[in-house]
Amino acid sequence: DYSGTCIYSFSNRWFSTSKLQQPQPEKMAWAFLSLPLNLPPSYSPLSSILNPFKPKSQIGWLASCSGSRRRAGVIASAADQEKTEDKDEDKDSSAFNPFGFVTDNPSSRSAIQIIESPAESGNVGQMLYRIEDKGKEYGKYVRSGEHVWFVRETGSAESQRGTVIFLHGAPTQSYSYRNVMSQMSELGFHCFAPDWLGFGFSDKPQPGYGFDYKEEEFHEEFDKLLDVLGVKSPFYLVVQGFLVGSYGLTWALKNRSRISKLAILNSPLTVSSPVPGLFKQLRIPLFGEFTCQNAVMAERFIEAGSAYVLKLEKADVYRLPYLSSSGPGFAILEATRKANFNNVSTQIASGFASGSWDIPTLVAWGIADKYLPQSVAEEFQEGNPTAVKLKLIEGAGHMPQEDW
């Protein structure tokens, strides 16, 4: 549970001891990524961990235990860092930068900026203190079976116009629907928006202990949650996004009698729908483990698919679960590696085609989406012009509910 914040704590110490004038997180990243190349042939990872105080060339391992906490890191001397600084700058100008998500994004960059006195401002503990109570508008915790979900609710069961369920995609959370839910309840609807298990403020079960982040398991747990919430069929369903968002659509195909109308916001709907680079990176051994612990992953994903930069108070909320624990990162890692994107897209394309689906469906599509082109929505609508209507939203990107 500490690995999600380890990189921040470690980077603060690194930059304060080496007295660099400007934050250079890519140097720290390369220290991690290039470690095996700098060790002698006789190096044994196990022996270094068991005997951490024995130096190994210029680079060594440090492993210490205090109670139930365990930390491990790589320590390099400030002198060596200063000697190679000029040479590293030349390499970094053209080399792959695993921290590129920081340098090309204003809100993410300000979120983890390393300042001269990290003990006074900018460290993880203080960031968590600043944001730990944010982003839970209309929310409550609901136990369903072995798991606890975080669910947002507006309106009441006595609302005259029916119930709406809002489902988010990866790697975000139900927070994106807060404004839409408020407006819908004012119009007489009863609204629910859960954080999927593994996301947002809901439980992040450890794989192998009753939940393995497979499609059918998400369906089963969602059924249980609807029962606990007392949601009566038929209801309105709104779905957006990748991965767990797509699972919302495959759930709909298996439970069409429970749905009165369906609204789809930007989601992969055809076999030709591209898969974003984030999910491809998560599938790469070792690099996926590194990527999933990126604390600004969610906000960066939102901004990369939109025409807008998130305001800091919004970015704080999307960042909070990934700062608080390593759990959300490993949950999305597991879900991504268990997912069959091509199979799910095929299910959706064929399941909602003419002759298979007759429930009124609206595709509300942000045309500034940088992940999914407008042609995906058009192709989907052409596959069932009778049941599916298409509404293009100018100015909105991958998450219309957040943008517009």
Side-chain angles (χ1 to χ4, degrees):
D1 287 344
Y2 290 90
S3 60
T5 57
C6 177
I7 195 168
Y8 290 88
S9 175
F10 179 72
S11 60
N12 284 347
R13 179 62 58 84
W14 176 286
F15 296 126
S16 63
T17 56
S18 57
K19 300 180 180 179
L20 299 180
Q21 295 301 312
Q22 295 294 331
Q24 295 181 336
E26 65 276 4
K27 294 185 181 299
M28 180 189 66
W30 278 116
F32 277 97
L33 296 178
S34 63
L35 175 62
L37 303 179
N38 294 309
L39 297 174
S42 59
Y43 170 72
S44 166
L46 181 61
S47 63
S48 272
I49 294 173
L50 296 176
N51 186 13
F53 303 104
K54 182 179 179 181
K56 295 287 184 182
S57 183
Q58 297 291 331
I59 300 178
W61 284 87
L62 173 63
S64 60
C65 299
S66 175
S68 61
R69 303 185 182 186
R70 293 178 173 83
R71 301 177 181 176
V74 182
I75 305 300
S77 69
D80 290 338
Q81 179 74 13
E82 292 170 357
K83 287 179 182 178
T84 59
E85 183 175 346
D86 294 336
K87 191 176 296 184
D88 286 344
E89 287 177 355
D90 293 337
K91 292 180 181 178
D92 292 341
S93 62
S94 59
F96 165 69
N97 178 9
F99 278 77
F101 59 82
V102 176
T103 57
D104 61 1
N105 182 54
S107 66
S108 298
R109 183 169 61 248
S110 65
I112 64 171
Q113 184 79 7
I114 308 300
I115 47 92
E116 293 183 1
S117 302
E120 298 177 6
S121 168
N123 60 41
V124 174
Q126 292 193 352
M127 280 194 287
L128 286 173
Y129 179 78
R130 184 183 84 228
I131 65 181
E132 61 185 352
D133 293 326
K134 286 186 177 182
K136 297 186 178 180
E137 292 91 336
Y138 318 119
K140 61 182 179 180
Y141 289 95
V142 176
R143 175 167 289 280
S144 173
E146 298 297 319
H147 307 296
V148 175
W149 295 65
F150 182 79
V151 181
R152 300 174 197 273
E153 179 182 10
T154 60
S156 68
E158 289 72 37
S159 298
Q160 298 299 312
R161 301 187 67 180
T163 299
V164 188
I165 306 294
F166 296 89
L167 297 179
H168 69 87
T172 63
Q173 53 174 289
S174 64
Y175 175 73
S176 64
Y177 287 114
R178 65 200 178 282
N179 294 324
V180 176
M181 291 179 66
S182 176
Q183 295 170 2
M184 293 291 282
S185 63
E186 292 174 0
L187 294 173
F189 292 94
H190 185 202
C191 303
F192 290 105
D195 287 347
W196 282 107
L197 290 177
F199 295 82
F201 301 108
S202 289
D203 276 355
K204 289 85 180 173
Q206 184 176 350
Y209 292 87
F211 192 79
D212 289 326
Y213 295 92
K214 297 178 180 178
E215 178 185 4
E216 58 271 19
E217 293 177 324
F218 279 108
H219 289 174
E220 292 169 2
E221 295 302 328
F222 181 56
D223 281 330
K224 295 176 184 178
L225 177 66
L226 292 178
D227 290 340
V228 172
L229 294 177
V231 175
K232 297 180 180 179
S233 301
F235 57 85
Y236 303 104
L237 179 65
V238 181
V239 177
Q240 184 273 328
F242 288 94
L243 195 58
V244 287
S246 295
Y247 292 166
L249 292 177
T250 55
W251 180 91
L253 290 173
K254 296 178 180 178
N255 296 271
R256 61 190 67 201
S257 64
R258 303 187 66 178
I259 300 171
S260 57
K261 290 184 179 180
L262 172 66
I264 304 174
L265 309 181
N266 296 54
S267 302
L269 301 173
T270 64
V271 177
S272 61
S273 299
V275 177
L278 170 64
F279 302 110
K280 294 179 181 178
Q281 292 172 7
L282 289 169
R283 287 177 175 268
I284 301 174
L286 185 60
F287 189 66
E289 280 76 5
F290 182 83
T291 301
C292 80
Q293 295 306 306
N294 169 2
V296 296
M297 172 170 48
E299 68 193 79
R300 185 67 191 97
F301 184 84
I302 295 169
E303 291 180 329
S306 169
Y308 309 105
V309 173
L310 287 170
K311 292 182 179 179
L312 182 59
E313 59 268 23
K314 297 179 183 179
D316 275 347
V317 179
Y318 288 110
R319 182 187 313 134
L320 177 56
Y322 297 91
L323 276 177
S324 302
S325 163
S326 63
F330 286 117
I332 191 173
L333 177 73
E334 196 71 20
T336 301
R337 291 181 173 177
K338 295 287 177 62
N340 186 329
F341 288 95
N342 186 64
N343 177 266
V344 170
S345 295
T346 300
Q347 286 185 58
I348 292 171
S350 60
F352 288 99
S354 295
S356 300
W357 183 266
D358 58 1
I359 295 173
T361 300
L362 172 68
V363 176
W365 197 267
I367 60 177
D369 190 339
K370 299 177 183 178
Y371 295 125
L372 296 168
Q374 180 178 326
S375 59
V376 168
E378 293 172 339
E379 180 183 344
F380 181 78
Q381 193 272 334
E382 290 170 0
N384 191 347
T386 302
V388 178
K389 294 183 179 180
L390 175 61
K391 173 65 177 179
L392 300 179
I393 308 175
E394 294 187 12
H398 180 62
M399 291 176 62
Q401 72 271 32
E402 182 67 77
D403 290 346
W404 205 258

